[in-house]
C-alpha cells in the first residue's frame, strides 16, 4: 500500500477524524482511487484533488458549486444565486459571444450530468444532500480514455455514501439573509445485508443585485427528494438510487424559469472467482426546463448502460476494459417570444453515444508504472474518435511520486454546434454548422507529489494543452448576421496547479492552493472570425486559496476559507478576494449548530462577465442539525 | 506529430521551468534530510481505528482480566505495521472502561495477557500465535489472512474499503460474544 496521499484527504481522514466515526462509517472510508481500478490515490498519475466528507461538511457549503470552490484545480464563478461557471484549465466561455463553458465531465455516482445539448452543466439541476456525499474527486486535465465523453479539461466525480453509513434520522434546518433551507433524512437496515435511506430537502434563495444596484430578481427555490438502497449478497454489491426535483427561478424581467427532473440508477459490482471484477451500471435521467409562460422549453431523456471488467494478467498487467451506450432523446420548443428564441432544427433528435475502452497499467519495475489506454467513442455527429493516453509514474521512494502523461480528448459536436437557430429581434442571429468538427485537445502533463514530512504534503502539476478546431463565431456576408459557427481557433494553454496540506498541530490544519495559467490562442490561417480570442473564455491568469481548519476542543470547529481570483481580462472583471468563515458547535452527540458567513469581505462583488452576471452578496447562515 | 510535439515543448514556457526547478529543489531537500517517513497510510489508520472501535462490540468472559483494575491490553504480535498510530489513537482513551496498554511481543503464548491480539507477520508463523491463544478469551485479529491464517476478525480490502470478516466459530471457541451490530456490518460472517 502506498504512502502519503497527495490530497488533503489523507489528513482529513486523520486518526482523529476516523476516531469519531462509527464502525459502519469506518467500513465506508474510501482508501483508494480515481482510476477505475483500485489503486492508491498516491499512485494516480494525474492531477487529482479529493474533497472528503469532512471538508465538505466543515465548509458549510450548501450547493455543489460552492463545494467546488474548495478545489484548488477548479475555477468557480457565480453568476446568480442559481447559476455558476465551473471550469478547469480555462475556457469559462463568454456570454456575449454565445460561448458557454463546455469542456468538463461531471458525474454523480457514475451518472453523467453534463448536458448533451451544448456540453455544459446546468448546475441548478444538480444537487445532493451535503451529508450524503462521501467525497468529490476532481481530475484536472483530460480523463477521456477512462471517463469518456466530454472529459476534456477535467472530470468532477461526486460519490455519495453507502446507505449503511447514514442510519437513523437527520433533521436539518437553516436560515440566513440569502438562504432558507430544510432537510430530512431517514435510513436503516432492510435485512442483515441491505440498508436504505430516503431524504427530502428544500431551499429558497434570495435574489442578488444587478451591477446597477437594483434587485436582480433572480431568486429561486427547489425541493428535491430521493432514496438509496444498498444490498450486499455474498461478495456482490448492488445499489439502487434515485432523485426527483422541481425548481422555479426568477429571471429578471423575463418569465420565471421552471426546472424539473429525476433519475433512477442501478449498479452491480460482482467479483469473479478468478479475482477479476465485473461492474454493471444502468441509469435513466430526465430533465426539463421551460418558461412559466409556456414555450422556451426542452425535455431531455437519457438512457445509459455501461459494463466494465477489470483483471490482472501475469501479475504485472492490470487491465480494465469496458463498453457503454448512451441514448439521449430531446425535444426543444421555441422561446416564449418568437422574436428572440433559441431552437434546434430539427427540434427533436435521438443521439446515440457508444464507447469501447481498454487500459493496461503495467508495473515495469517495482517503482515504475506505465499506463496505456485507448477509448473509441462513436458520437452522433462526427463518428468514431480515438482517444489514447499514455501515463508513466515513478516513485523514487515511498513518499514521492513523479508522473508524466500525454493524452488526447475531444469535445464532441452537440446540437448547439450543429442544429442551432438563434433569433434576435425576429431575424436569424446564429446558425449551426452542419459539418462542425470536434474540438480537439492534445495534452501534455508533468506532475509531482510528495509527503515531505509527517503532516505536510504537496502536489504540483504542470500542463500544456494544445487545442485545435476550437469553435469560433464567423460573420455572415459583409460581417452581418446571421452568424455561423466555425472551427477556426487553435492554440495553447499552459500552466501550473499546486496545492499543499499542512497539519500544523493535532488540532490545526492549513491548506493552500495556487493555479497559474496562460492562454495563447489564435485563429487558423485563413479563418474568418467575428469576435476575438476572448470568445473562448474569460479566465483569470491566476487564483489562490488558503484554508484554515481548527478543532478547538472536542466540540468546536472553526474554519476559514480565503480565496483570491485574478482579473478576468476581456470583458474585464476586477480581481477579488473573499472570505468564508464557519463556526461549528456540537452541543450534544445529536445536536449541532453552525454559524457561517460567506463572502464576508465585501457587501457585494462581481465574479464573472456582466451582463448578465449579478453581484454576489455577503451572506450569513445558521444551520441546526438534529440526529435521531 | 513528433515535430509538432517538439515545437510545443519549446513553448512550454516559464510554468514548466518553474515546475521542474521546484521538483528538483524539493527532491534535493528531501533526499538530503535522510528520509525516515513512516508512510502512514489511510488503510493503516483505518485498521488501527478498527482495533480501538472493536472492543465495545465484544463481551469478554469474567476471567479475561486478572483483576477489576487490570488494564485493557492490546497486543501486537510480530512486526508492528502501525508505527505510533495505535499509541496516538489511544492517547488518553479508555476501552470498556479500563485504561489501555499496548504490548508488542514477538511470539504469543497461552498466558499472554492480551484481550485483543493483532497478529502480524513475524518470526513465529501467524498460525502458531493464533493456535497459542485458541480457547483463551482473546480476540484475534489479522490482516488479509496473514501467512494464510485468519483471526476471529480478519481485515480485507474490498471495493476500496477496509472491511471485516468475522469467524463466529472462532469467537465461541475463545468464549467471546460478538454483538449482532458488529456482525451486521461485517463483509462476511463464518457461522457458528
Amino acid at each position: 500500500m502506498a504512502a502519503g496521499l497527495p490530497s488533503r484527504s489523507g489528513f482529513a481522514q486523520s486518526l482523529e477524524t476516523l476516531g469519531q466515526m462509527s464502525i459502519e462509517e469506518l467500513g465506508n472510508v474510501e482508501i483508494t482511487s480515481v482510476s477505475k481500478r483500485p489503486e492508491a490515490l498516491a499512485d494516480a498519475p494525474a492531477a487529482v484533488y479529493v474533497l472528503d466528507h469532512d471538508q465538505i461538511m466543515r465548509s458549510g457549503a450548501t450547493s455543489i458549486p460552492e463545494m467546488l470552490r474548495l478545489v484548488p484545480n477548479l475555477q468557480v464563478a457565480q453568476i446568480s444565486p442559481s447559476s455558476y461557471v465551473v471550469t478547469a484549465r480555462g475556457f469559462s466561455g463568454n456570454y456575449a459571444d454565445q460561448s458557454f463553458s463546455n469542456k468538463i465531465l461531471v458525474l454523480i455516482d457514475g451518472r453523467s450530468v453534463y448536458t448533451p445539448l451544448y456540453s455544459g452543466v446546468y448546475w441548478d439541476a444538480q444537487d445532493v444532500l451535503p451529508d450524503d456525499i462521501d467525497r468529490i474527486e476532481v481530475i484536472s486535465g483530460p480523463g477521456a480514455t477512462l471517463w469518456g465523453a466530454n472529459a476534456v479539461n477535467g472530470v468532477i466525480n461526486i460519490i455519495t455514501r453507502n446507505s449503511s453509513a447514514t442510519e437513523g434520522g437527520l433533521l436539518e434546518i437553516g436560515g440566513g439573509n440569502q438562504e432558507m433551507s430544510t432537510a430530512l433524512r431517514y435510513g436503516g437496515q432492510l435485512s442483515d445485508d441491505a440498508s436504505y435511506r430516503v431524504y427530502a430537502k428544500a431551499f429558497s434563495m434570495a435574489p442578488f443585485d444587478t451591477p446597477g444596484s437594483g434587485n436582480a430578481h433572480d431568486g429561486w427555490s427547489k425541493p428535491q427528494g430521493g432514496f438509496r438502497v444498498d444490498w450486499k449478497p455474498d461478495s456482490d454489491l448492488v445499489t439502487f438510487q434515485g432523485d426527483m426535483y422541481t425548481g422555479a427561478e426568477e429571471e429578471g424581467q423575463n418569465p420565471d424559469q421552471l426546472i424539473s427532473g429525476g433519475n433512477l440508477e442501478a449498479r452491480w459490482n460482482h467479483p469473479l472467482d478468478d479475482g477479476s471484477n465485473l461492474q454493471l451500471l444502468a441509469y435513466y435521467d430526465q430533465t426539463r426546463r421551460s418558461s412559466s409562460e409556456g414555450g422556451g422549453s426542452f425535455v431531455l431523456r437519457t438512457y445509459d448502460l455501461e459494463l466494465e471488467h477489470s483483471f490482472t494478467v501475469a501479475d504485472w498487467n492490470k487491465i480494465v476494459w469496458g463498453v457503454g451506450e448512451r441514448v439521449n432523446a430531446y425535444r426543444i420548443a421555441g422561446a416564449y417570444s418568437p422574436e428572440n428564441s433559441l431552437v434546434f432544427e430539427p427540434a427533436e433528435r435521438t443521439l446515440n453515444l457508444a464507447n469501447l475502452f481498454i487500459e493496461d497499467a503495467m508495473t515495469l519495475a517495482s517503482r515504475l508504472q506505465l499506463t496505456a489506454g485507448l477509448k473509441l467513442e462513436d458520437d452522433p455527429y462526427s463518428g468514431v474518435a480515438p482517444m489514447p493516453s499514455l501515463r508513466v509514474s515513478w516513485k523514487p521512494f515511498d513518499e514521492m511520486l513523479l508522473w508524466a502523461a500525454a493524452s488526447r480528448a475531444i469535445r464532441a459536436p452537440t446540437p448547439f454546434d450543429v442544429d442551432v437557430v438563434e433569433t434576435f429581434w425576429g431575424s436569424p442571429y446564429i446558425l449551426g454548422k452542419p459539418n462542425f468538427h470536434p474540438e480537439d485537445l492534445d495534452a501534455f502533463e508533468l506532475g509531482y507529489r510528495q509527503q515531505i514530512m509527517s503532516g505536510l504534503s504537496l502536489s504540483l502539476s504542470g500542463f500544456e494543452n494544445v487545442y485545435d478546431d476550437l469553435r469560433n463565431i464567423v460573420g455572415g456576408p459583409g460581417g452581418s448576421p446571421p452568424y455561423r459557427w466555425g472551427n477556426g481557433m487553435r492554440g495553447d494553454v499552459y500552466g501550473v496547479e499546486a496545492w499543499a496540506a499542512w497539519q500544523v498541530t493535532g488540532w490545526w490544519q492549513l491548506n493552500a492552493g495556487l493555479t497559474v495559467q496562460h492562454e495563447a490562442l489564435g485563429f487558423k490561417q485563413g479563418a474568418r472570425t467575428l469576435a476575438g480570442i476572448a470568445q473562448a473564455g474569460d479566465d483569470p491568469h491566476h487564483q489562490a486559496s488558503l484554508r484554515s481548519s481548527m478543532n478547538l476542543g472536542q466540540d468546536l470547529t472553526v474554519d476559514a476559507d480565503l480565496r483570491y481570483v485574478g482579473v478576468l481580462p476581456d470583458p474585464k472583471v476586477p480581481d477579488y478576494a473573499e472570505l468564508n468563515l464557519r463556526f461549528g458547535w456540537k452541543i450534544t452527540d445529536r445536536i449541532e449548530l453552525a454559524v457561517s458567513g460567506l463572502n464576508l469581505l465585501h457587501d457585494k462583488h462581481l465574479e464573472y462577465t456582466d451582463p448578465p452576471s449579478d453581484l454576489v452578496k455577503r451572506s450569513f447562515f445558521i444551520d441546526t442539525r438534529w440526529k435521531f | 506529430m513528433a515535430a509538432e510535439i517538439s515545437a510545443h515543448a519549446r513553448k512550454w514556457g516559464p510554468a514548466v521551468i518553474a515546475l521542474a526547478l521546484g521538483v528538483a529543489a524539493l527532491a534535493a531537500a528531501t533526499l538530503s534530510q535522510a528520509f525516515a517517513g513512516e508512510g502512514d497510510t489511510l488503510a493503516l489508520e483505518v485498521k488501527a481505528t478498527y482495533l480501538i472501535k472493536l472492543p465495545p462490540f465484544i463481551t469478554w468472559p469474567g476471567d479475561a482480566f486478572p483483576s477489576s483494575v487490570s488494564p485493557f491490553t492490546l497486543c501486537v504480535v510480530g512486526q508492528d505495521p502501525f508505527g505510533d498510530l495505535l499509541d496516538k489513537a489511544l492517547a488518553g482513551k479508555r476501552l470498556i472502561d479500563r485504561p489501555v496498554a499496548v504490548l508488542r511481543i514477538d511470539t504469543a503464548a497461552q498466558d499472554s495477557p492480551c484481550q485483543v491480539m493483532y497478529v502480524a507477520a513475524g518470526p513465529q508463523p501467524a498460525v502458531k500465535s493464533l493456535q497459542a491463544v485458541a480457547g483463551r478469551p482473546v480476540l484475534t485479529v489479522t490482516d488479509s489472512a496473514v501467512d494464510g491464517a485468519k483471526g476471529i476478525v480478519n481485515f480485507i480490502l474490498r471495493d476500496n474499503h477496509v472491511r471485516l470478516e468475522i469467524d463466529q466459530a472462532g469467537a465461541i471457541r475463545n468464549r467471546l460474544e460478538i454483538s449482532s451490530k458488529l456482525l451486521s456490518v461485517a463483509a462476511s460472517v463464518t457461522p457458528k
Side-chain angles (χ1 to χ4, degrees):
Chain A
M1 177 66 41
L5 296 178
S7 74
R8 182 186 177 285
S9 102
F11 301 109
Q13 304 281 18
S14 64
L15 279 174
E16 197 173 339
T17 315
L18 293 169
Q20 289 167 3
M21 291 183 175
S22 70
I23 199 121
E24 296 98 321
E25 287 171 332
L26 269 184
N28 289 314
V29 172
E30 181 84 14
I31 52 165
T32 47
S33 120
V34 278
S35 134
K36 287 200 169 183
R37 110 181 55 68
E39 165 186 47
L41 193 53
D43 293 346
V48 189
Y49 186 86
V50 179
L51 200 58
D52 62 46
H53 178 79
D54 192 46
Q55 284 171 288
I56 290 166
M57 297 310 292
R58 291 183 63 155
S59 74
T62 58
S63 70
I64 293 171
E66 287 296 327
M67 293 169 199
L68 297 177
R69 285 197 196 272
L70 304 175
V71 177
N73 50 343
L74 287 178
Q75 288 93 51
V76 178
Q78 188 168 14
I79 294 172
S80 76
S82 61
S83 178
Y84 288 82
V85 175
V86 179
T87 61
R89 301 182 176 178
F91 292 91
S92 62
N94 189 315
Y95 274 52
D97 298 317
Q98 295 292 291
S99 163
F100 308 103
S101 157
N102 60 9
K103 292 176 180 57
I104 296 258
L105 171 62
V106 181
L107 300 164
I108 300 177
D109 288 328
R111 177 171 54 92
S112 167
V113 300
Y114 83 89
T115 175
L117 299 182
Y118 75 100
S119 284
V121 179
Y122 285 111
W123 287 104
D124 54 354
Q126 322 307 334
D127 199 13
V128 181
L129 189 65
D131 193 65
D132 283 350
I133 300 180
D134 183 75
R135 65 191 189 280
I136 300 178
E137 298 173 344
V138 176
I139 304 163
S140 47
T145 309
L146 274 185
W147 298 106
N150 222 49
V152 182
N153 275 22
V155 184
I156 297 171
N157 199 10
I158 298 163
I159 297 152
T160 65
R161 297 205 277 173
N162 190 293
S163 54
S164 66
T166 52
E167 283 183 28
L170 171 72
L171 176 66
E172 191 168 4
I173 296 173
N177 64 329
Q178 283 295 115
E179 178 175 358
M180 305 290 279
S181 72
T182 180
L184 179 65
R185 180 185 71 200
Y186 194 80
Q189 296 269 332
L190 289 170
S191 67
D192 281 354
D193 54 5
S195 56
Y196 75 97
R197 69 167 169 255
V198 292
Y199 78 93
K201 63 172 292 194
F203 62 77
S204 157
M205 292 196 195
F208 284 164
D209 287 344
T210 61
S213 87
N215 185 330
H217 296 288
D218 57 2
W220 71 307
S221 60
K222 186 180 170 195
Q224 176 168 320
F227 74 97
R228 173 168 169 155
V229 175
D230 294 279
W231 178 42
K232 42 174 194 193
D234 301 323
S235 46
D236 289 25
L237 282 171
V238 181
T239 301
F240 299 102
Q241 62 188 83
D243 308 275
M244 276 185 90
Y245 60 88
T246 175
E249 301 169 7
E250 287 186 282
E251 289 276 286
Q253 305 310 314
N254 296 323
D256 288 359
Q257 178 164 244
L258 306 176
I259 61 171
S260 64
N263 63 79
L264 274 175
E265 175 174 319
R267 283 196 307 281
W268 177 38
N269 197 297
H270 179 62
L272 299 167
D273 289 340
D274 60 1
S276 72
N277 195 65
L278 206 60
Q279 182 167 306
L280 196 63
L281 166 72
Y283 65 80
Y284 167 71
D285 186 304
Q286 177 188 300
T287 183
R288 287 170 183 272
R289 197 165 282 266
S290 64
S291 155
S292 61
E293 295 185 4
S297 69
F298 72 77
V299 55
L300 167 71
R301 293 185 179 83
T302 302
Y303 309 82
D304 187 282
L305 188 62
E306 295 169 28
L307 175 77
E308 201 179 287
H309 181 214
S310 54
F311 58 98
T312 304
V313 173
D315 277 349
W316 60 281
N317 286 278
K318 288 181 183 164
I319 296 173
V320 53
W321 70 275
V323 290
E325 164 73 11
R326 186 178 303 159
V327 176
N328 292 302
Y330 66 84
R331 191 178 66 243
I332 182 166
Y336 46 87
S337 131
E339 296 260 286
N340 300 311
S341 78
L342 192 157
V343 295
F344 297 158
E345 280 180 3
E348 273 185 72
R349 258 195 205 260
T350 299
L351 308 173
N352 281 285
L353 185 69
N355 79 76
L356 171 68
F357 75 88
I358 182 160
E359 189 184 85
D360 184 1
M362 294 161 269
T363 305
L364 300 180
S366 69
R367 293 177 175 279
L368 185 65
Q369 195 167 64
L370 179 72
T371 307
L374 177 68
K375 173 164 229 155
L376 297 175
E377 187 173 278
D378 185 13
D379 81 71
Y381 291 103
S382 54
V384 177
M387 289 182 263
S389 82
L390 197 62
R391 293 177 183 269
V392 60
S393 63
W394 177 48
K395 295 183 85 169
F397 43 94
D398 281 352
E399 290 76 12
M400 186 197 264
L401 178 84
L402 296 169
W403 60 272
S407 38
R408 175 173 189 258
I410 62 158
R411 203 276 293 171
T414 63
F416 185 65
D417 303 300
V418 180
D419 299 336
V420 73
V421 178
E422 192 172 356
T423 307
F424 255 150
W425 306 119
S427 53
Y429 180 65
I430 291 181
L431 298 174
K433 183 186 182 208
N435 57 343
F436 188 86
H437 294 288
E439 295 184 321
D440 189 273
L441 165 65
D442 290 321
F444 306 93
E445 298 173 274
L446 207 56
Y448 153 83
R449 282 201 291 269
Q450 188 175 357
Q451 179 106 30
I452 293 169
M453 55 188 211
S454 175
L456 179 62
S457 70
L458 178 69
S459 169
L460 271 174
S461 323
F463 66 92
E464 159 89 0
N465 281 358
V466 182
Y467 296 91
D468 202 355
D469 288 338
L470 288 172
R471 189 179 69 198
N472 68 324
I473 192 164
V474 178
S480 55
Y483 306 132
R484 286 190 174 274
W485 295 130
N487 286 107
M489 217 189 314
R490 61 179 301 174
D492 293 10
V493 178
Y494 53 89
V496 177
E497 297 154 339
W499 56 85
W502 182 27
Q503 189 76 44
V504 186
T505 67
W507 52 271
W508 187 25
Q509 183 176 54
L510 288 175
N511 283 268
L514 174 73
T515 62
V516 179
Q517 63 193 13
H518 182 69
E519 296 180 357
L521 301 173
F523 293 95
K524 292 193 219 177
Q525 196 128 34
R528 290 190 305 153
T529 188
L530 191 68
I533 55 162
Q535 64 186 289
D538 198 10
D539 305 303
H541 178 265
H542 51 274
Q543 68 172 28
S545 63
L546 184 63
R547 184 154 85 250
S548 155
S549 307
M550 294 183 188
N551 297 338
L552 303 181
Q554 290 284 314
D555 306 322
L556 194 64
T557 59
V558 180
D559 290 83
D561 291 295
L562 183 67
R563 67 179 192 275
Y564 169 79
V565 178
V567 175
L568 305 193
D570 188 11
K572 192 164 177 176
V573 176
D575 59 342
Y576 76 90
E578 264 308 346
L579 176 71
N580 293 355
L581 274 179
R582 180 179 181 273
F583 296 87
W585 181 28
K586 203 169 181 175
I587 299 170
T588 71
D589 274 353
R590 296 182 174 280
I591 300 175
E592 286 171 38
L593 179 72
V595 178
S596 44
L598 303 181
N599 302 307
L600 290 170
L601 299 185
H602 304 93
D603 184 34
K604 37 194 150 178
H605 72 277
L606 186 65
E607 297 192 357
Y608 194 64
T609 320
D610 67 311
S613 274
D614 298 323
L615 298 174
V616 178
K617 277 186 180 173
R618 178 187 291 146
S619 66
F620 299 94
F621 193 68
I622 296 176
D623 189 42
T624 52
R625 291 158 56 84
W626 176 44
K627 290 182 183 169
F628 57 95
Chain B
M1 186 66 186
E4 229 174 29
I5 292 171
S6 70
H8 293 308
R10 279 197 299 278
K11 286 193 288 175
W12 268 40
V16 173
I17 294 169
L19 177 72
L21 287 175
V23 170
L26 277 160
T30 317
L31 287 168
S32 67
Q33 85 183 33
F35 206 82
E38 283 290 330
D40 299 0
T41 73
L42 186 54
L44 271 180
E45 291 179 333
V46 170
K47 288 166 190 168
T49 308
Y50 264 126
L51 286 179
I52 292 159
K53 294 268 171 179
L54 286 172
F57 297 97
I58 311 291
T59 309
W60 274 267
D63 63 340
F65 296 92
S67 81
S68 61
V69 293
S70 305
F72 186 96
T73 307
L74 171 56
C75 299
V76 178
V77 184
Q79 289 155 3
D80 181 358
F82 297 108
D84 59 356
L85 283 179
L86 282 175
D87 309 83
K88 273 189 191 160
L90 282 166
K93 284 209 172 66
R94 293 167 75 84
L95 282 178
I96 53 171
D97 225 23
R98 291 168 184 270
V100 189
V102 179
L103 186 63
R104 294 178 175 84
I105 49 183
D106 279 343
T107 55
Q110 199 184 2
D111 56 355
S112 295
C114 317
Q115 281 76 50
V116 171
M117 180 183 282
Y118 179 86
V119 182
Q124 184 180 22
V127 66
K128 286 251 176 178
S129 305
L130 295 171
Q131 280 167 358
V133 295
R136 304 286 307 153
V138 178
L139 180 76
T140 53
V141 183
T142 52
D143 187 1
S144 311
V146 56
D147 305 340
K150 287 183 188 179
I152 296 168
V153 172
N154 182 49
F155 297 133
I156 53 166
L157 195 57
R158 171 167 302 168
D159 193 35
N160 307 349
H161 301 96
V162 179
R163 303 298 301 274
L164 308 176
E165 286 183 337
I166 296 179
D167 176 8
Q168 252 191 313
I172 288 167
R173 199 177 323 123
N174 285 10
R175 295 180 289 131
L176 305 176
E177 245 178 73
I178 299 182
S179 82
S180 57
K181 171 79 177 168
L182 184 60
L183 295 175
S184 75
V185 302
S188 74
V189 175
T190 312
K192 296 171 196 178

